[in-house]
């Protein structure tokens, strides 16, 4: 039988040379609201922007790209 299920969301951002993967705290939140939620734990997200979604494996991935430390 065919089974239909929604794709889960994950959120990623680069911290130094590593990528941090964050789980979806609440599926009803917009990606911007998720970024705001996680900015309490990762202050660099306060100046980030949301990019995506992209499909990877069985999930939808949004990337938070920070603007701190980048030049033109």
């Amino acid at each position: 039988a065919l089974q239909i299920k929604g794709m889960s969301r994950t959120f990623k951002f680069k911290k130094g040379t590593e990528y941090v993967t964050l789980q979806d705290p609440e599926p009803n939140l917009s990606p911007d609201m998720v970024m705001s939620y996680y900015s309490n734990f990762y202050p660099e997200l306060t100046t980030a922007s949301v990019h995506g979604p992209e499909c990877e494996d069985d999930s939808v991935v949004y990337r938070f790209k920070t603007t701190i430390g980048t030049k033109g």
Side-chain angles (χ1 to χ4, degrees):
L2 181 63
Q3 182 181 6
I4 298 173
K5 66 177 189 176
M7 296 178 77
S8 63
R9 300 188 305 176
T10 56
F11 301 87
K12 295 183 178 182
F13 75 97
K14 191 171 184 179
K15 184 174 175 101
T17 58
E18 308 263 325
Y19 279 93
V20 177
T21 301
L22 307 169
Q23 297 305 312
D24 193 352
E26 172 58 54
N28 294 328
L29 294 178
S30 71
D32 285 316
M33 292 171 79
V34 172
M35 184 173 64
S36 178
Y37 168 80
Y38 277 116
S39 68
N40 293 318
F41 307 101
Y42 302 98
E44 56 267 51
L45 294 180
T46 58
T47 60
S49 58
V50 179
H51 296 265
E54 300 170 8
C55 291
E56 288 184 11
D57 301 321
D58 287 339
S59 66
V60 176
V61 178
Y62 290 88
R63 298 186 191 282
F64 301 145
K65 296 191 178 180
T66 60
T67 55
I68 295 176
T70 59
K71 290 187 177 180

